[in-house]
PDB file of all heavy atoms in Angstrom:
ATOM      1  N   ARG A   1      40.912   2.066  14.043  1.00 94.00           N
ATOM      2  CA  ARG A   1      40.926   1.012  13.016  1.00 94.00           C
ATOM      3  C   ARG A   1      41.015  -0.368  13.658  1.00 94.00           C
ATOM      4  O   ARG A   1      40.303  -1.312  13.258  1.00 94.00           O
ATOM      5  CB  ARG A   1      42.113   1.207  12.073  1.00 94.00           C
ATOM      6  CG  ARG A   1      42.037   2.446  11.187  1.00 94.00           C
ATOM      7  CD  ARG A   1      43.157   2.425  10.155  1.00 94.00           C
ATOM      8  NE  ARG A   1      43.329   3.729   9.537  1.00 94.00           N
ATOM      9  CZ  ARG A   1      44.214   4.641   9.952  1.00 94.00           C
ATOM     10  NH1 ARG A   1      45.011   4.369  10.963  1.00 94.00           N
ATOM     11  NH2 ARG A   1      44.306   5.803   9.332  1.00 94.00           N
ATOM     12  N   LYS A   2      41.892  -0.522  14.633  1.00 92.00           N
ATOM     13  CA  LYS A   2      42.081  -1.812  15.282  1.00 92.00           C
ATOM     14  C   LYS A   2      40.825  -2.248  16.038  1.00 92.00           C
ATOM     15  O   LYS A   2      40.446  -3.428  16.011  1.00 92.00           O
ATOM     16  CB  LYS A   2      43.272  -1.754  16.250  1.00 92.00           C
ATOM     17  CG  LYS A   2      44.621  -1.640  15.565  1.00 92.00           C
ATOM     18  CD  LYS A   2      45.759  -1.519  16.580  1.00 92.00           C
ATOM     19  CE  LYS A   2      47.112  -1.423  15.891  1.00 92.00           C
ATOM     20  NZ  LYS A   2      48.221  -1.221  16.872  1.00 92.00           N
ATOM     21  N   LEU A   3      40.184  -1.301  16.718  1.00 93.00           N
ATOM     22  CA  LEU A   3      38.969  -1.629  17.458  1.00 93.00           C
ATOM     23  C   LEU A   3      37.866  -2.084  16.499  1.00 93.00           C
ATOM     24  O   LEU A   3      37.143  -3.040  16.781  1.00 93.00           O
ATOM     25  CB  LEU A   3      38.508  -0.423  18.272  1.00 93.00           C
ATOM     26  CG  LEU A   3      39.417  -0.035  19.440  1.00 93.00           C
ATOM     27  CD1 LEU A   3      38.994   1.320  20.006  1.00 93.00           C
ATOM     28  CD2 LEU A   3      39.382  -1.091  20.533  1.00 93.00           C
ATOM     29  N   ALA A   4      37.726  -1.399  15.371  1.00 95.00           N
ATOM     30  CA  ALA A   4      36.724  -1.788  14.384  1.00 95.00           C
ATOM     31  C   ALA A   4      37.056  -3.161  13.797  1.00 95.00           C
ATOM     32  O   ALA A   4      36.169  -4.003  13.598  1.00 95.00           O
ATOM     33  CB  ALA A   4      36.621  -0.741  13.281  1.00 95.00           C
ATOM     34  N   ALA A   5      38.336  -3.388  13.518  1.00 94.00           N
ATOM     35  CA  ALA A   5      38.755  -4.687  12.983  1.00 94.00           C
ATOM     36  C   ALA A   5      38.455  -5.806  13.970  1.00 94.00           C
ATOM     37  O   ALA A   5      38.216  -6.957  13.574  1.00 94.00           O
ATOM     38  CB  ALA A   5      40.245  -4.655  12.649  1.00 94.00           C
ATOM     39  N   GLY A   6      38.440  -5.466  15.260  1.00 92.00           N
ATOM     40  CA  GLY A   6      38.118  -6.445  16.293  1.00 92.00           C
ATOM     41  C   GLY A   6      36.620  -6.630  16.510  1.00 92.00           C
ATOM     42  O   GLY A   6      36.211  -7.418  17.368  1.00 92.00           O
ATOM     43  N   GLY A   7      35.809  -5.882  15.749  1.00 95.00           N
ATOM     44  CA  GLY A   7      34.357  -6.072  15.813  1.00 95.00           C
ATOM     45  C   GLY A   7      33.576  -4.977  16.501  1.00 95.00           C
ATOM     46  O   GLY A   7      32.340  -5.037  16.557  1.00 95.00           O
ATOM     47  N   ALA A   8      34.254  -3.944  17.035  1.00 96.00           N
ATOM     48  CA  ALA A   8      33.527  -2.876  17.715  1.00 96.00           C
ATOM     49  C   ALA A   8      32.728  -2.037  16.711  1.00 96.00           C
ATOM     50  O   ALA A   8      33.170  -1.814  15.584  1.00 96.00           O
ATOM     51  CB  ALA A   8      34.491  -1.973  18.477  1.00 96.00           C
ATOM     52  N   ALA A   9      31.549  -1.600  17.128  1.00 97.00           N
ATOM     53  CA  ALA A   9      30.735  -0.651  16.351  1.00 97.00           C
ATOM     54  C   ALA A   9      31.062   0.737  16.877  1.00 97.00           C
ATOM     55  O   ALA A   9      30.872   1.009  18.062  1.00 97.00           O
ATOM     56  CB  ALA A   9      29.256  -0.956  16.526  1.00 97.00           C
ATOM     57  N   ILE A  10      31.548   1.622  16.011  1.00 98.00           N
ATOM     58  CA  ILE A  10      32.087   2.907  16.461  1.00 98.00           C
ATOM     59  C   ILE A  10      31.345   4.063  15.808  1.00 98.00           C
ATOM     60  O   ILE A  10      31.296   4.172  14.578  1.00 98.00           O
ATOM     61  CB  ILE A  10      33.596   3.012  16.143  1.00 98.00           C
ATOM     62  CG1 ILE A  10      34.350   1.853  16.818  1.00 98.00           C
ATOM     63  CG2 ILE A  10      34.152   4.359  16.607  1.00 98.00           C
ATOM     64  CD1 ILE A  10      35.811   1.767  16.435  1.00 98.00           C
ATOM     65  N   LEU A  11      30.760   4.920  16.644  1.00 98.00           N
ATOM     66  CA  LEU A  11      30.176   6.173  16.178  1.00 98.00           C
ATOM     67  C   LEU A  11      31.187   7.270  16.479  1.00 98.00           C
ATOM     68  O   LEU A  11      31.568   7.492  17.631  1.00 98.00           O
ATOM     69  CB  LEU A  11      28.853   6.464  16.889  1.00 98.00           C
ATOM     70  CG  LEU A  11      28.111   7.719  16.407  1.00 98.00           C
ATOM     71  CD1 LEU A  11      27.671   7.560  14.951  1.00 98.00           C
ATOM     72  CD2 LEU A  11      26.895   8.014  17.288  1.00 98.00           C
ATOM     73  N   TYR A  12      31.621   7.972  15.432  1.00 97.00           N
ATOM     74  CA  TYR A  12      32.780   8.854  15.513  1.00 97.00           C
ATOM     75  C   TYR A  12      32.379  10.252  15.027  1.00 97.00           C
ATOM     76  O   TYR A  12      32.083  10.420  13.850  1.00 97.00           O
ATOM     77  CB  TYR A  12      33.877   8.277  14.611  1.00 97.00           C
ATOM     78  CG  TYR A  12      35.233   8.925  14.694  1.00 97.00           C
ATOM     79  CD1 TYR A  12      36.266   8.316  15.399  1.00 97.00           C
ATOM     80  CD2 TYR A  12      35.513  10.108  14.025  1.00 97.00           C
ATOM     81  CE1 TYR A  12      37.531   8.876  15.451  1.00 97.00           C
ATOM     82  CE2 TYR A  12      36.761  10.681  14.081  1.00 97.00           C
ATOM     83  CZ  TYR A  12      37.771  10.059  14.788  1.00 97.00           C
ATOM     84  OH  TYR A  12      39.031  10.622  14.841  1.00 97.00           O
ATOM     85  N   THR A  13      32.323  11.229  15.917  1.00 94.00           N
ATOM     86  CA  THR A  13      32.001  12.584  15.492  1.00 94.00           C
ATOM     87  C   THR A  13      33.289  13.391  15.372  1.00 94.00           C
ATOM     88  O   THR A  13      34.202  13.253  16.192  1.00 94.00           O
ATOM     89  CB  THR A  13      31.042  13.296  16.459  1.00 94.00           C
ATOM     90  OG1 THR A  13      31.768  13.789  17.585  1.00 94.00           O
ATOM     91  CG2 THR A  13      29.930  12.378  16.905  1.00 94.00           C
ATOM     92  N   THR A  14      33.354  14.217  14.350  1.00 90.00           N
ATOM     93  CA  THR A  14      34.546  15.035  14.145  1.00 90.00           C
ATOM     94  C   THR A  14      34.223  16.205  13.222  1.00 90.00           C
ATOM     95  O   THR A  14      33.284  16.151  12.429  1.00 90.00           O
ATOM     96  CB  THR A  14      35.695  14.202  13.541  1.00 90.00           C
ATOM     97  OG1 THR A  14      36.868  15.014  13.425  1.00 90.00           O
ATOM     98  CG2 THR A  14      35.333  13.673  12.157  1.00 90.00           C
ATOM     99  N   HIS A  15      35.018  17.277  13.340  1.00 87.00           N
ATOM    100  CA  HIS A  15      34.973  18.379  12.391  1.00 87.00           C
ATOM    101  C   HIS A  15      36.150  18.313  11.431  1.00 87.00           C
ATOM    102  O   HIS A  15      36.257  19.136  10.527  1.00 87.00           O
ATOM    103  CB  HIS A  15      35.003  19.731  13.118  1.00 87.00           C
ATOM    104  CG  HIS A  15      33.687  20.120  13.704  1.00 87.00           C
ATOM    105  ND1 HIS A  15      33.347  19.859  15.003  1.00 87.00           N
ATOM    106  CD2 HIS A  15      32.619  20.749  13.149  1.00 87.00           C
ATOM    107  CE1 HIS A  15      32.113  20.330  15.231  1.00 87.00           C
ATOM    108  NE2 HIS A  15      31.666  20.865  14.123  1.00 87.00           N
ATOM    109  N   TYR A  16      37.038  17.344  11.648  1.00 89.00           N
ATOM    110  CA  TYR A  16      38.255  17.267  10.846  1.00 89.00           C
ATOM    111  C   TYR A  16      38.076  16.189   9.791  1.00 89.00           C
ATOM    112  O   TYR A  16      38.323  15.010  10.017  1.00 89.00           O
ATOM    113  CB  TYR A  16      39.451  16.972  11.753  1.00 89.00           C
ATOM    114  CG  TYR A  16      40.782  17.208  11.081  1.00 89.00           C
ATOM    115  CD1 TYR A  16      41.184  18.499  10.724  1.00 89.00           C
ATOM    116  CD2 TYR A  16      41.627  16.158  10.803  1.00 89.00           C
ATOM    117  CE1 TYR A  16      42.402  18.716  10.103  1.00 89.00           C
ATOM    118  CE2 TYR A  16      42.848  16.372  10.182  1.00 89.00           C
ATOM    119  CZ  TYR A  16      43.235  17.651   9.839  1.00 89.00           C
ATOM    120  OH  TYR A  16      44.429  17.866   9.225  1.00 89.00           O
ATOM    121  N   LEU A  17      37.624  16.593   8.614  1.00 90.00           N
ATOM    122  CA  LEU A  17      37.221  15.635   7.579  1.00 90.00           C
ATOM    123  C   LEU A  17      38.342  14.735   7.060  1.00 90.00           C
ATOM    124  O   LEU A  17      38.066  13.586   6.696  1.00 90.00           O
ATOM    125  CB  LEU A  17      36.544  16.378   6.433  1.00 90.00           C
ATOM    126  CG  LEU A  17      35.290  17.164   6.811  1.00 90.00           C
ATOM    127  CD1 LEU A  17      34.627  17.734   5.567  1.00 90.00           C
ATOM    128  CD2 LEU A  17      34.307  16.300   7.581  1.00 90.00           C
ATOM    129  N   PRO A  18      39.598  15.185   6.990  1.00 90.00           N
ATOM    130  CA  PRO A  18      40.650  14.252   6.559  1.00 90.00           C
ATOM    131  C   PRO A  18      40.733  13.000   7.432  1.00 90.00           C
ATOM    132  O   PRO A  18      41.132  11.937   6.951  1.00 90.00           O
ATOM    133  CB  PRO A  18      41.934  15.096   6.657  1.00 90.00           C
ATOM    134  CG  PRO A  18      41.462  16.495   6.384  1.00 90.00           C
ATOM    135  CD  PRO A  18      40.122  16.573   7.076  1.00 90.00           C
ATOM    136  N   GLU A  19      40.344  13.110   8.707  1.00 92.00           N
ATOM    137  CA  GLU A  19      40.330  11.910   9.562  1.00 92.00           C
ATOM    138  C   GLU A  19      39.362  10.867   9.015  1.00 92.00           C
ATOM    139  O   GLU A  19      39.657   9.671   9.021  1.00 92.00           O
ATOM    140  CB  GLU A  19      39.912  12.284  10.987  1.00 92.00           C
ATOM    141  CG  GLU A  19      40.932  13.054  11.765  1.00 92.00           C
ATOM    142  CD  GLU A  19      40.477  13.330  13.179  1.00 92.00           C
ATOM    143  OE1 GLU A  19      39.323  13.005  13.532  1.00 92.00           O
ATOM    144  OE2 GLU A  19      41.269  13.887  13.937  1.00 92.00           O
ATOM    145  N   VAL A  20      38.215  11.322   8.578  1.00 93.00           N
ATOM    146  CA  VAL A  20      37.203  10.406   8.051  1.00 93.00           C
ATOM    147  C   VAL A  20      37.733   9.704   6.812  1.00 93.00           C
ATOM    148  O   VAL A  20      37.558   8.501   6.620  1.00 93.00           O
ATOM    149  CB  VAL A  20      35.905  11.167   7.723  1.00 93.00           C
ATOM    150  CG1 VAL A  20      34.845  10.216   7.193  1.00 93.00           C
ATOM    151  CG2 VAL A  20      35.393  11.906   8.966  1.00 93.00           C
ATOM    152  N   GLU A  21      38.420  10.471   5.949  1.00 91.00           N
ATOM    153  CA  GLU A  21      38.986   9.892   4.742  1.00 91.00           C
ATOM    154  C   GLU A  21      40.111   8.916   5.071  1.00 91.00           C
ATOM    155  O   GLU A  21      40.247   7.870   4.437  1.00 91.00           O
ATOM    156  CB  GLU A  21      39.475  11.017   3.819  1.00 91.00           C
ATOM    157  CG  GLU A  21      38.326  11.880   3.302  1.00 91.00           C
ATOM    158  CD  GLU A  21      38.763  13.094   2.517  1.00 91.00           C
ATOM    159  OE1 GLU A  21      39.734  13.757   2.939  1.00 91.00           O
ATOM    160  OE2 GLU A  21      38.134  13.388   1.488  1.00 91.00           O
ATOM    161  N   GLN A  22      40.917   9.244   6.082  1.00 91.00           N
ATOM    162  CA  GLN A  22      41.990   8.338   6.480  1.00 91.00           C
ATOM    163  C   GLN A  22      41.448   7.046   7.058  1.00 91.00           C
ATOM    164  O   GLN A  22      42.026   5.968   6.875  1.00 91.00           O
ATOM    165  CB  GLN A  22      42.904   9.036   7.498  1.00 91.00           C
ATOM    166  CG  GLN A  22      43.739  10.158   6.916  1.00 91.00           C
ATOM    167  CD  GLN A  22      44.385  11.021   7.989  1.00 91.00           C
ATOM    168  OE1 GLN A  22      44.830  10.515   9.024  1.00 91.00           O
ATOM    169  NE2 GLN A  22      44.432  12.322   7.757  1.00 91.00           N
ATOM    170  N   LEU A  23      40.350   7.146   7.762  1.00 93.00           N
ATOM    171  CA  LEU A  23      39.730   5.952   8.351  1.00 93.00           C
ATOM    172  C   LEU A  23      38.959   5.135   7.312  1.00 93.00           C
ATOM    173  O   LEU A  23      38.682   3.952   7.533  1.00 93.00           O
ATOM    174  CB  LEU A  23      38.767   6.350   9.470  1.00 93.00           C
ATOM    175  CG  LEU A  23      39.393   6.835  10.777  1.00 93.00           C
ATOM    176  CD1 LEU A  23      38.315   7.433  11.683  1.00 93.00           C
ATOM    177  CD2 LEU A  23      40.108   5.696  11.492  1.00 93.00           C
ATOM    178  N   GLY A  24      38.601   5.773   6.190  1.00 90.00           N
ATOM    179  CA  GLY A  24      37.727   5.095   5.231  1.00 90.00           C
ATOM    180  C   GLY A  24      36.375   4.804   5.834  1.00 90.00           C
ATOM    181  O   GLY A  24      35.722   3.810   5.518  1.00 90.00           O
ATOM    182  N   ALA A  25      35.938   5.695   6.739  1.00 95.00           N
ATOM    183  CA  ALA A  25      34.701   5.476   7.489  1.00 95.00           C
ATOM    184  C   ALA A  25      33.484   5.692   6.612  1.00 95.00           C
ATOM    185  O   ALA A  25      33.531   6.376   5.585  1.00 95.00           O
ATOM    186  CB  ALA A  25      34.642   6.434   8.680  1.00 95.00           C
ATOM    187  N   ASP A  26      32.375   5.102   7.016  1.00 96.00           N
ATOM    188  CA  ASP A  26      31.085   5.443   6.421  1.00 96.00           C
ATOM    189  C   ASP A  26      30.662   6.805   6.978  1.00 96.00           C
ATOM    190  O   ASP A  26      31.187   7.259   8.011  1.00 96.00           O
ATOM    191  CB  ASP A  26      30.045   4.375   6.723  1.00 96.00           C
ATOM    192  CG  ASP A  26      30.376   3.055   6.048  1.00 96.00           C
ATOM    193  OD1 ASP A  26      30.703   3.081   4.847  1.00 96.00           O
ATOM    194  OD2 ASP A  26      30.342   2.010   6.723  1.00 96.00           O
ATOM    195  N   VAL A  27      29.727   7.446   6.321  1.00 96.00           N
ATOM    196  CA  VAL A  27      29.411   8.839   6.629  1.00 96.00           C
ATOM    197  C   VAL A  27      27.914   9.025   6.816  1.00 96.00           C
ATOM    198  O   VAL A  27      27.105   8.482   6.058  1.00 96.00           O
ATOM    199  CB  VAL A  27      29.894   9.759   5.488  1.00 96.00           C
ATOM    200  CG1 VAL A  27      29.454  11.196   5.728  1.00 96.00           C
ATOM    201  CG2 VAL A  27      31.410   9.685   5.343  1.00 96.00           C
ATOM    202  N   ALA A  28      27.549   9.796   7.844  1.00 96.00           N
ATOM    203  CA  ALA A  28      26.175  10.277   8.010  1.00 96.00           C
ATOM    204  C   ALA A  28      26.269  11.766   8.321  1.00 96.00           C
ATOM    205  O   ALA A  28      27.037  12.172   9.199  1.00 96.00           O
ATOM    206  CB  ALA A  28      25.458   9.546   9.135  1.00 96.00           C
ATOM    207  N   ILE A  29      25.518  12.580   7.595  1.00 95.00           N
ATOM    208  CA  ILE A  29      25.540  14.029   7.789  1.00 95.00           C
ATOM    209  C   ILE A  29      24.254  14.460   8.473  1.00 95.00           C
ATOM    210  O   ILE A  29      23.161  14.266   7.947  1.00 95.00           O
ATOM    211  CB  ILE A  29      25.727  14.766   6.459  1.00 95.00           C
ATOM    212  CG1 ILE A  29      27.078  14.399   5.838  1.00 95.00           C
ATOM    213  CG2 ILE A  29      25.637  16.278   6.664  1.00 95.00           C
ATOM    214  CD1 ILE A  29      27.338  15.051   4.487  1.00 95.00           C
ATOM    215  N   LEU A  30      24.410  15.037   9.661  1.00 94.00           N
ATOM    216  CA  LEU A  30      23.287  15.542  10.456  1.00 94.00           C
ATOM    217  C   LEU A  30      23.216  17.047  10.267  1.00 94.00           C
ATOM    218  O   LEU A  30      24.175  17.772  10.542  1.00 94.00           O
ATOM    219  CB  LEU A  30      23.511  15.196  11.934  1.00 94.00           C
ATOM    220  CG  LEU A  30      22.428  15.602  12.936  1.00 94.00           C
ATOM    221  CD1 LEU A  30      21.119  14.881  12.643  1.00 94.00           C
ATOM    222  CD2 LEU A  30      22.888  15.315  14.363  1.00 94.00           C
ATOM    223  N   HIS A  31      22.081  17.508   9.779  1.00 92.00           N
ATOM    224  CA  HIS A  31      21.934  18.934   9.482  1.00 92.00           C
ATOM    225  C   HIS A  31      20.509  19.354   9.783  1.00 92.00           C
ATOM    226  O   HIS A  31      19.556  18.726   9.340  1.00 92.00           O
ATOM    227  CB  HIS A  31      22.260  19.194   8.007  1.00 92.00           C
ATOM    228  CG  HIS A  31      22.242  20.647   7.620  1.00 92.00           C
ATOM    229  ND1 HIS A  31      22.909  21.623   8.317  1.00 92.00           N
ATOM    230  CD2 HIS A  31      21.626  21.290   6.589  1.00 92.00           C
ATOM    231  CE1 HIS A  31      22.715  22.786   7.749  1.00 92.00           C
ATOM    232  NE2 HIS A  31      21.925  22.628   6.693  1.00 92.00           N
ATOM    233  N   GLU A  32      20.384  20.409  10.587  1.00 90.00           N
ATOM    234  CA  GLU A  32      19.072  20.936  10.988  1.00 90.00           C
ATOM    235  C   GLU A  32      18.190  19.834  11.578  1.00 90.00           C
ATOM    236  O   GLU A  32      17.000  19.745  11.299  1.00 90.00           O
ATOM    237  CB  GLU A  32      18.394  21.611   9.787  1.00 90.00           C
ATOM    238  CG  GLU A  32      19.164  22.840   9.302  1.00 90.00           C
ATOM    239  CD  GLU A  32      18.524  23.512   8.107  1.00 90.00           C
ATOM    240  OE1 GLU A  32      17.668  22.862   7.446  1.00 90.00           O
ATOM    241  OE2 GLU A  32      18.872  24.673   7.819  1.00 90.00           O
ATOM    242  N   GLY A  33      18.813  19.003  12.410  1.00 92.00           N
ATOM    243  CA  GLY A  33      18.078  18.012  13.181  1.00 92.00           C
ATOM    244  C   GLY A  33      17.757  16.714  12.473  1.00 92.00           C
ATOM    245  O   GLY A  33      17.124  15.839  13.054  1.00 92.00           O
ATOM    246  N   ARG A  34      18.179  16.578  11.219  1.00 93.00           N
ATOM    247  CA  ARG A  34      17.850  15.370  10.451  1.00 93.00           C
ATOM    248  C   ARG A  34      19.095  14.809   9.768  1.00 93.00           C
ATOM    249  O   ARG A  34      20.026  15.546   9.465  1.00 93.00           O
ATOM    250  CB  ARG A  34      16.791  15.677   9.389  1.00 93.00           C
ATOM    251  CG  ARG A  34      15.496  16.255   9.955  1.00 93.00           C
ATOM    252  CD  ARG A  34      14.483  16.523   8.857  1.00 93.00           C
ATOM    253  NE  ARG A  34      13.314  17.223   9.355  1.00 93.00           N
ATOM    254  CZ  ARG A  34      12.283  16.619   9.954  1.00 93.00           C
ATOM    255  NH1 ARG A  34      12.293  15.298  10.083  1.00 93.00           N
ATOM    256  NH2 ARG A  34      11.254  17.316  10.396  1.00 93.00           N
ATOM    257  N   ILE A  35      19.079  13.496   9.536  1.00 94.00           N
ATOM    258  CA  ILE A  35      20.128  12.877   8.751  1.00 94.00           C
ATOM    259  C   ILE A  35      19.836  13.182   7.285  1.00 94.00           C
ATOM    260  O   ILE A  35      18.846  12.715   6.722  1.00 94.00           O
ATOM    261  CB  ILE A  35      20.191  11.355   8.972  1.00 94.00           C
ATOM    262  CG1 ILE A  35      20.524  11.035  10.445  1.00 94.00           C
ATOM    263  CG2 ILE A  35      21.231  10.725   8.047  1.00 94.00           C
ATOM    264  CD1 ILE A  35      21.897  11.484  10.889  1.00 94.00           C
ATOM    265  N   ARG A  36      20.689  13.993   6.673  1.00 91.00           N
ATOM    266  CA  ARG A  36      20.465  14.427   5.294  1.00 91.00           C
ATOM    267  C   ARG A  36      21.091  13.458   4.288  1.00 91.00           C
ATOM    268  O   ARG A  36      20.686  13.429   3.122  1.00 91.00           O
ATOM    269  CB  ARG A  36      21.075  15.823   5.078  1.00 91.00           C
ATOM    270  CG  ARG A  36      20.484  16.891   5.987  1.00 91.00           C
ATOM    271  CD  ARG A  36      18.998  17.087   5.716  1.00 91.00           C
ATOM    272  NE  ARG A  36      18.445  18.136   6.585  1.00 91.00           N
ATOM    273  CZ  ARG A  36      17.172  18.504   6.556  1.00 91.00           C
ATOM    274  NH1 ARG A  36      16.331  17.924   5.718  1.00 91.00           N
ATOM    275  NH2 ARG A  36      16.739  19.452   7.380  1.00 91.00           N
ATOM    276  N   LEU A  37      22.076  12.700   4.739  1.00 89.00           N
ATOM    277  CA  LEU A  37      22.784  11.820   3.833  1.00 89.00           C
ATOM    278  C   LEU A  37      23.516  10.762   4.632  1.00 89.00           C
ATOM    279  O   LEU A  37      24.075  11.044   5.693  1.00 89.00           O
ATOM    280  CB  LEU A  37      23.810  12.637   3.020  1.00 89.00           C
ATOM    281  CG  LEU A  37      24.803  11.870   2.165  1.00 89.00           C
ATOM    282  CD1 LEU A  37      24.065  11.197   0.999  1.00 89.00           C
ATOM    283  CD2 LEU A  37      25.877  12.799   1.632  1.00 89.00           C
ATOM    284  N   ALA A  38      23.481   9.521   4.161  1.00 91.00           N
ATOM    285  CA  ALA A  38      24.250   8.450   4.791  1.00 91.00           C
ATOM    286  C   ALA A  38      24.715   7.491   3.707  1.00 91.00           C
ATOM    287  O   ALA A  38      23.935   7.159   2.801  1.00 91.00           O
ATOM    288  CB  ALA A  38      23.394   7.705   5.829  1.00 91.00           C
ATOM    289  N   GLY A  39      25.963   7.093   3.771  1.00 92.00           N
ATOM    290  CA  GLY A  39      26.474   6.190   2.759  1.00 92.00           C
ATOM    291  C   GLY A  39      27.942   5.918   2.932  1.00 92.00           C
ATOM    292  O   GLY A  39      28.601   6.470   3.836  1.00 92.00           O
ATOM    293  N   HIS A  40      28.482   5.062   2.079  1.00 91.00           N
ATOM    294  CA  HIS A  40      29.916   4.802   2.075  1.00 91.00           C
ATOM    295  C   HIS A  40      30.644   6.067   1.638  1.00 91.00           C
ATOM    296  O   HIS A  40      30.144   6.844   0.815  1.00 91.00           O
ATOM    297  CB  HIS A  40      30.257   3.649   1.123  1.00 91.00           C
ATOM    298  CG  HIS A  40      29.658   2.338   1.552  1.00 91.00           C
ATOM    299  ND1 HIS A  40      30.032   1.698   2.698  1.00 91.00           N
ATOM    300  CD2 HIS A  40      28.721   1.548   0.971  1.00 91.00           C
ATOM    301  CE1 HIS A  40      29.348   0.571   2.812  1.00 91.00           C
ATOM    302  NE2 HIS A  40      28.541   0.454   1.789  1.00 91.00           N
ATOM    303  N   LEU A  41      31.827   6.270   2.143  1.00 90.00           N
ATOM    304  CA  LEU A  41      32.610   7.470   1.843  1.00 90.00           C
ATOM    305  C   LEU A  41      32.751   7.688   0.337  1.00 90.00           C
ATOM    306  O   LEU A  41      32.482   8.787  -0.170  1.00 90.00           O
ATOM    307  CB  LEU A  41      33.997   7.350   2.497  1.00 90.00           C
ATOM    308  CG  LEU A  41      35.001   8.454   2.179  1.00 90.00           C
ATOM    309  CD1 LEU A  41      34.490   9.803   2.670  1.00 90.00           C
ATOM    310  CD2 LEU A  41      36.350   8.130   2.812  1.00 90.00           C
TER     311      LEU A  41
END
């Protein structure tokens, strides 16, 4: 959060979805080699 607030662009991969919700991150779903969905949480 602090790094993003300081202006860093962060690509964050995870299997633990509550982390994404805690971060309030934007979301992109990669499935079968393609981005199937991208948007605000």
Side-chain angles (χ1 to χ4, degrees):
R1 293 188 195 94
K2 290 177 179 176
L3 291 170
I10 302 173
L11 184 65
Y12 188 102
T13 80
T14 183
H15 281 94
Y16 194 67
L17 300 186
E19 288 183 355
V20 181
E21 295 174 318
Q22 290 167 38
L23 287 169
D26 294 313
V27 175
I29 297 178
L30 182 64
H31 184 50
E32 296 179 343
R34 302 181 187 277
I35 297 295
R36 300 297 181 180
L37 171 69
H40 296 294
L41 174 62

